[in-house]
Amino acid sequence: MTARDATHVILDLDGTLINTEQLVDEVVSAIVHDLADRDPKAVRDALERVRGMRPRDGSERLIDLLQLTDPKTSARASADALLALTEAKLNARWGEVALMPGASRLLRFLADAEIPVALATSTPAKYLAAKMASHAGALDGMRCVCTGDEVERGKPDPEIFRLAASRLGVDPARCVVIEDTPLGVRAAKAAGMHVVAVPSIAKRDDLYVDAGADVVISSLYDLDFAAFLPAGSDWIAHETLLDPVLPLPEIVRVGGAVVKGFGRGSKVLGIPTANLDATPLKLQSDALAPGIYFGHAALPGGRIYDMVMSIGWNPFFDNARKTIEPWLLHEFESDFYDVELRLTVVGYVRPEANFTTLECLIARIRRDGDVASAALRMEPFAAHRNDAFLTFEAGEGEGGGG
């Protein structure tokens, strides 16, 4: 099968459409810590190995991997007991779950292109409504929904994907599956489907390649629909653009005081960035996948600037923490630390990438700046320059640094 033979799409849920993985890892890690003294890295590794399984299957496997015992009897821990503990905590917190970056773009494009879509999730039906409570209507475009309790064997068995194809009334070979776990990739490949992997296990693309993924991408923003579906593309390419760009389905608005970063922007790269502290902006930063974006920026005083922004861990420098590093495309006479900076993020350029040399990195950053500058002269981006978020009241947002 080739990708262009596909006519239908089958989507995973957890880690693909909704960002449940961080919450599940947090809750289960805390419960494991209460049960036993286990090395945190061993727990993380075990959680990654069960990612994509149905809840009960994952509980069974986790107990075996971590050799968990009942603290009262010293016998092997009960999967039902572990599952009951996790259910109670997770059911109280599903409302915190956000859509994955690019999920709304994916669902909107498939609906507009009238591509038949199914959901194939390890989530049992009784949890599905709770998980999606904060995202009413997100699954309305599904032709069918297949849940983990409808099949005898969960992923990596292909049963759930075969069930989805059957309900869609299509040959499995005509389906593209979008998955975030190696187990899910294995299941879809065993069902005879083309698979696009969007990894939820960081820095381990090899796991997805070994599982058989046809394509591995960094985020849902990087999906090129035209490559595997009889549909067009929502990327904008133009003779004035060095690279195509993607309009974001919704503007992301970010604001905060300019802070001192690593000092490498102006000193190492010759490209001064006006960094923001990512910690209080977690909600906004989590709405964007790590990558390069562009939009508009405002400082007190009324002027609007073009900007290009890196968000993530910057593989070349191997950051230990997530950063938000906007580069305002303007020459400033002095620094403006502590002053409030407001950003409207309207488009996407590319995922984060590593570079073999500093010179290659600098060249790529400057190219990104040229792409952003050209794109912001075009529609639909130019109209966002007048966004009300960029307007300061008199005296508002002025800091004490310089």
Side-chain angles (χ1 to χ4, degrees):
M1 177 192 127
T2 65
R4 290 188 179 275
D5 294 328
T7 55
H8 293 60
V9 170
I10 301 175
L11 301 174
D12 174 55
L13 180 67
D14 295 281
T16 300
L17 291 181
I18 58 174
N19 190 8
T20 51
E21 307 295 15
Q22 292 180 5
L23 175 60
V24 171
D25 286 358
E26 175 191 334
V27 167
V28 176
S29 295
I31 290 171
V32 168
H33 177 74
D34 290 341
L35 290 175
D37 181 17
R38 296 291 182 268
D39 177 61
K41 184 180 183 304
V43 176
R44 288 195 300 272
D45 291 345
L47 286 169
E48 289 180 352
R49 291 179 66 178
V50 305
R51 192 164 290 172
M53 289 185 176
R54 296 181 296 185
R56 197 180 191 289
D57 296 342
S59 296
E60 290 277 10
R61 183 69 175 135
L62 198 66
I63 289 168
D64 289 339
L65 289 170
L66 296 174
Q67 299 182 329
L68 298 178
T69 58
D70 185 321
K72 295 181 180 179
T73 66
S74 297
R76 180 183 184 274
S78 161
D80 289 336
L82 179 60
L83 190 57
L85 288 171
T86 56
E87 280 182 5
K89 293 184 179 296
L90 288 171
N91 286 343
R93 296 183 61 185
W94 288 131
E96 301 173 23
V97 171
L99 289 175
M100 291 296 294
S104 59
R105 173 245 178 175
L106 167 65
L107 295 171
R108 184 178 302 175
F109 182 92
L110 294 174
D112 290 347
E114 299 183 342
I115 301 295
V117 184
L119 187 74
T121 175
S122 296
T123 294
K126 67 178 182 177
Y127 303 138
L128 186 58
K131 285 186 175 182
M132 299 305 297
S134 299
H135 308 290
L139 302 183
D140 287 353
M142 302 293 165
R143 295 284 181 91
C144 60
V145 172
C146 304
T147 55
D149 51 344
E150 294 186 278
V151 292
E152 183 177 341
R153 297 171 300 278
K155 301 173 186 177
D157 190 276
E159 185 179 357
I160 195 164
F161 289 115
R162 289 175 177 158
L163 175 63
S166 175
R167 289 181 176 174
L168 286 171
V170 66
D171 186 329
R174 308 283 285 183
C175 296
V176 168
V177 173
I178 302 177
E179 257 284 357
D180 75 294
T181 68
L183 293 178
V185 171
R186 291 188 187 281
K189 291 304 296 182
M193 300 175 178
H194 187 84
V195 185
V196 177
V198 191
S200 61
I201 301 177
K203 301 179 180 180
R204 292 301 310 272
D205 285 7
D206 59 303
L207 297 177
Y208 296 86
V209 173
D210 291 346
D214 297 280
V215 181
V216 181
I217 59 177
S218 296
S219 78
L220 292 176
Y221 291 132
D222 298 306
L223 276 171
D224 180 3
F225 300 111
F228 59 86
L229 288 171
S233 174
D234 53 350
W235 284 78
I236 294 175
H238 190 269
E239 61 183 8
T240 62
L241 292 171
L242 294 172
D243 301 299
V245 294
L246 177 70
L248 297 187
E250 295 91 20
I251 295 175
V252 177
R253 297 172 177 86
V254 182
V258 176
V259 299
K260 291 188 177 182
F262 296 100
R264 63 191 179 211
S266 55
K267 295 177 182 177
V268 179
L269 303 176
I271 300 170
T273 54
N275 297 358
L276 299 178
D277 183 357
T279 303
L281 298 172
K282 186 178 187 304
L283 185 64
Q284 294 91 330
S285 65
D286 284 353
L288 298 168
I292 310 303
Y293 299 84
F294 61 90
H296 299 100
L299 293 164
R303 181 166 177 178
I304 307 299
Y305 305 93
D306 294 345
M307 70 89 185
V308 63
M309 177 182 74
S310 168
I311 183 167
W313 287 268
N314 200 323
F316 185 83
F317 293 106
D318 195 22
N319 291 351
R321 57 185 174 85
K322 197 172 190 179
T323 61
I324 301 174
E325 303 182 53
W327 174 27
L328 277 58
L329 303 177
H330 176 77
E331 294 290 336
F332 292 92
E333 294 182 358
S334 61
D335 295 329
F336 42 87
Y337 296 123
D338 299 328
V339 173
E340 184 179 355
L341 174 67
R342 294 182 184 177
L343 309 172
T344 52
V345 187
V346 301
Y348 175 75
V349 180
R350 62 176 178 86
E352 285 192 306
N354 208 343
F355 296 88
T356 54
T357 67
L358 185 63
E359 290 73 22
C360 289
L361 172 61
I362 293 171
R364 179 69 249 200
I365 294 173
R366 294 200 174 277
R367 183 185 180 100
D368 294 335
D370 291 340
V371 170
S373 182
L376 289 166
R377 302 291 175 269
M378 303 169 58
E379 295 301 339
F381 309 112
H384 297 311
R385 193 176 189 87
N386 298 318
D387 192 274
F389 180 70
L390 299 172
T391 301
F392 286 86
E393 300 295 334
E396 184 182 13
E398 296 178 359

